[in-house]
């Protein structure tokens, strides 16, 4: 790409700091948790209450793995082609030592699912029905527990065998398997069309066609009204138990220490009121919103679902569901009507005011532009003292590259300022603290554009870039140094996918931790 301006400014933004226990700040979550603990570190270790569902074998794998993460989980020795010092890896010091939480086997509820029943469910000839039946085997256990057992569960851990992963995804082939009959024919993918009766008559069980045949989405949608969940594959917990004919694990996974860091951080986030860390230097009174649009599967009116994800500097996230409607305006864009745009922003503002008062700035992050009607509704919905700013964040396909001397690519945090509204931001790249670049190829930058702002109260492009770089560090479902995308955009598709499921229709407002 050739720019008309020949002297473009290139900046390097400082790595955002994260705050941990004792108000200590460091850039890497693993360093912060190991040295200082979570940012609202309790005086005493807290016991979390787990509910675990799986086959008998899966439950055994979980017990072994759970016992291991109570102690130190070391990084494996480097291979012959690896560097001696791998700073991106870190030994896990133990659940209690890192996160000040623990769990007791006697207080954990274990529920076994019949392996043969699970096998039969995944083989039902109609794929929608097979996935729905498989997910129900797990969800019904939690529903029954909720109704009949007084023991509270903070988070449900669903241990799944590989047959669930392989057969219960949207494009699963199930080639060569002996399928079994169910209630529907193999090729049916939607409710039966009965024009004489309209919506008043459906075949029994046809609700399975309101959902995409995806086990993970089914589970997240089914548990929105129950508790947060964590789906764990048996091959993740015990890769050594699943070997191919040559004696190697059938599936390559992360090293055990990294898995321990990631799952333990997710358990803390999903069971505690406050996240394990927060951004240290985000401006006060700032609120970030990620807009989500997703087409409803098999909807005869071609309607789409809309939602807003709100994130604060503390890292708290809340998902608000808007109305379904004809929001899709072409193959790539969705736009809200004036009334629905106003309703959605008012939901966000009401939630923000409950604990934080009136925001000074409200940033809406998305991948598309806003039309005049919906932007006017956004502006009118916020109070006079709040500036509302629309920012488009897109990922490139290799149109822009920066190169530097040496073995590693451009530094993470490098920004090329095109003008006061547009910039390129390398949110991935070489990280000096880790002495490596974690990525497959020369990194592509994010393209950032400030689309609109209230009464042209345009923020500085540098401030917008710093905020976005910070938001790449608050994915609490793992313990990585950073993500490539800000959290406002990173999970938009996944949240939208879950909200379009039939079982999620009645959900209006829910903490973000239920979706990841």
């Amino acid at each position: 790409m050739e720019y008309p301006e020949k002297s473009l400014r290139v900046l390097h933004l400082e790595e955002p700091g994260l705050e941990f226990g004792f108000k200590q700040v460091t850039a890497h979550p693993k360093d912060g948790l190991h040295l200082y603990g979570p940012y609202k570190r309790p005086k005493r270790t807290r016991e979390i209450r787990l509910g675990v569902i799986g086959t008998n074998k899966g439950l055994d794998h979980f017990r072994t793995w759970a016992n291991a993460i109570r102690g130190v989980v070391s990084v494996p020795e480097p291979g012959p082609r690896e560097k001696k010092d791998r700073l991106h890896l870190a030994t896990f010091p133990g659940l209690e030592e890192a996160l000040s939480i623990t769990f007791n086997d006697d207080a954990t509820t274990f529920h076994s699912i019949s392996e043969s029943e699970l096998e039969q469910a995944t083989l039902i000839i109609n794929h929608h029905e097979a996935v729905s039946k498989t997910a129900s085997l797990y969800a019904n256990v939690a529903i029954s527990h909720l109704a009949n057992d007084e023991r509270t569960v903070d988070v449900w851990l669903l241990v799944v065998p590989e047959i669930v992963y392989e057969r219960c995804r949207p494009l699963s082939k199930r080639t060569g398997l002996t399928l079994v009959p169910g209630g529907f024919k193999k090729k049916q993918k939607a409710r039966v069309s009965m024009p004489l009766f309209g919506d008043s008559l459906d075949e029994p069980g046809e609700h399975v066609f309101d959902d995409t045949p995806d086990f993970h989405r089914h589970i997240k949608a089914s548990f929105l009204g129950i508790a947060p969940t964590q789906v764990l594959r048996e091959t993740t917990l015990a890769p050594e138990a699943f070997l191919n004919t040559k004696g190697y694990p059938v599936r390559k996974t992360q090293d055990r220490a990294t898995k321990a860091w990631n799952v333990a951080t997710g358990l803390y986030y999903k069971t505690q009121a406050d996240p394990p860390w927060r951004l240290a230097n985000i401006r006060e009174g700032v609120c970030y919103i990620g807009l989500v649009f997703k087409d409803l599967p098999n909807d005869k009116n071609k309607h789409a679902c809309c939602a807003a994800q709100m994130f604060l500097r503390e890292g708290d996230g809340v998902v608000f569901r808007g109305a379904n409607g004809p929001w899709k305006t072409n193959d790539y864009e969705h736009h809200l009507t004036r009334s629905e745009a106003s309703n959605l922003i008012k939901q966000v503002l009401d939630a923000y005011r409950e604990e934080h008062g009136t925001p000074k700035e409200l940033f809406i992050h998305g991948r598309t532009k806003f039309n005049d009607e919906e932007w006017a509704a956004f502006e009118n919905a916020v109070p006079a003292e709040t500036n509302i700013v629309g920012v488009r964040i897109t990922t490139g396909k290799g149109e822009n590259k920066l190169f530097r001397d040496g073995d590693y690519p451009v530094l993470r945090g490098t920004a090329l300022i095109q003008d006061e509204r547009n910039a390129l931001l390398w949110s991935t790249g070489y990280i000096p603290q880790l002495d490596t670049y974690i990525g497959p190829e020369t990194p592509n930058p994010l393209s950032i554009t400030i689309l609109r702002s209230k009464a042209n109260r345009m923020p500085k492009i540098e401030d917008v870039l710093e905020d976005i770089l910070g938001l790449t560090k608050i994915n609490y479902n793992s313990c990585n140094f950073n993500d490539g995308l800000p959290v406002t955009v990173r999970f938009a598709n996944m949240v939208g996918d879950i909200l379009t499921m039939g079982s999620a229709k009645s959900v209006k407002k829910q903490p973000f931790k239920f979706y990841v």
Side-chain angles (χ1 to χ4, degrees), residues 220-515:
K220 294 296 178 182
S222 300
F223 280 76
L224 284 177
I226 301 175
T229 55
Q230 182 71 48
V231 178
L232 296 168
R233 292 166 66 177
E234 291 180 0
T235 51
T236 299
L237 298 176
E240 68 283 354
F242 302 89
L243 305 179
N244 60 24
T245 55
K246 295 184 178 179
Y248 293 100
V250 295
R251 171 174 163 250
K252 187 175 181 180
T253 62
Q254 295 173 310
D255 67 276
R256 297 183 68 85
T258 300
K259 285 187 285 189
W261 274 112
N262 290 339
V263 178
T265 301
L267 288 181
Y268 183 93
Y269 173 52
K270 292 171 182 176
T271 59
Q272 304 301 305
D274 299 292
W277 61 84
R278 68 174 186 173
L279 290 169
N281 297 310
I282 289 289
R283 304 186 307 281
E284 292 288 346
V286 181
C287 175
Y288 306 93
I289 298 173
L291 274 189
V292 180
F293 290 97
K294 206 72 180 179
D295 297 337
L296 295 169
N298 297 325
D299 188 83
K300 62 182 181 181
N301 297 313
K302 306 296 182 186
H303 281 182
C305 165
C306 75
Q309 313 167 80
M310 178 183 76
F311 296 92
L312 310 178
R313 71 186 293 269
E314 288 81 4
D316 298 343
V318 182
V319 175
F320 304 87
R321 183 186 185 122
N324 298 336
W327 315 133
K328 190 170 185 177
T329 54
N330 62 41
D331 289 344
Y332 304 103
E333 292 195 5
H334 294 77
H335 295 290
L336 296 171
T337 59
R338 181 182 293 269
S339 62
E340 188 52 37
S342 179
N343 288 338
L344 197 59
I345 292 301
K346 283 178 179 176
Q347 283 189 64
V348 175
L349 287 172
D350 288 345
Y352 185 92
R353 288 192 185 103
E354 288 176 4
E355 295 189 18
H356 305 281
T358 300
K360 296 176 184 175
E361 291 180 288
L362 193 156
F363 288 86
I364 301 179
H365 291 171
R367 294 176 183 269
T368 62
K369 297 178 180 177
F370 309 103
N371 66 24
D372 292 340
E373 181 183 358
E374 65 185 345
W375 187 255
F378 289 153
E379 285 195 348
N380 290 332
V382 301
E385 59 269 39
T386 300
N387 187 22
I388 184 168
V389 182
V391 179
R392 184 171 63 170
I393 303 170
T394 58
T395 51
K397 296 181 180 178
E399 303 92 340
N400 300 285
K401 298 283 188 184
L402 274 185
F403 298 93
R404 71 184 187 114
D405 291 336
D407 295 332
Y408 289 112
V410 63
L411 292 169
R412 164 177 152 85
T414 300
L416 189 151
I417 310 297
Q418 296 163 283
D419 57 38
E420 61 182 8
R421 286 176 177 266
N422 297 283
L424 301 176
L425 173 63
W426 276 262
S427 57
T428 59
Y430 177 72
I431 300 171
Q433 182 174 340
L434 304 183
D435 190 26
T436 194
Y437 159 60
I438 302 174
E441 58 179 17
T442 305
N444 296 319
L446 300 178
S447 179
I448 314 294
T449 300
I450 304 175
L451 296 170
R452 303 187 185 223
S453 62
K454 187 176 180 180
N456 289 321
R457 288 152 60 183
M458 191 75 65
K460 292 172 63 177
I461 186 72
E462 292 86 349
D463 291 339
V464 172
L465 297 180
E466 287 177 356
D467 288 353
I468 291 172
L469 196 65
L471 291 170
T472 64
K473 297 180 75 84
I474 57 171
N475 173 9
Y476 303 122
N477 209 33
S478 67
C479 200
N480 296 331
F481 189 86
N482 67 277
D483 279 337
L485 287 167
V487 68
T488 44
V489 177
R490 165 87 164 76
F491 295 101
N493 271 339
M494 192 173 70
V495 169
D497 286 339
I498 295 168
L499 287 175
T500 59
M501 302 293 279
S503 46
K505 281 181 179 175
S506 59
V507 173
K508 290 298 181 184
K509 172 186 170 186
Q510 197 69 292
F512 182 70
K513 66 180 69 174
F514 280 71
Y515 290 84

Side-chain angles (χ1 to χ4, degrees), residues 2 33 133 183 195 225 297:
E2 183 175 347
L33 292 173
K133 174 71 175 177

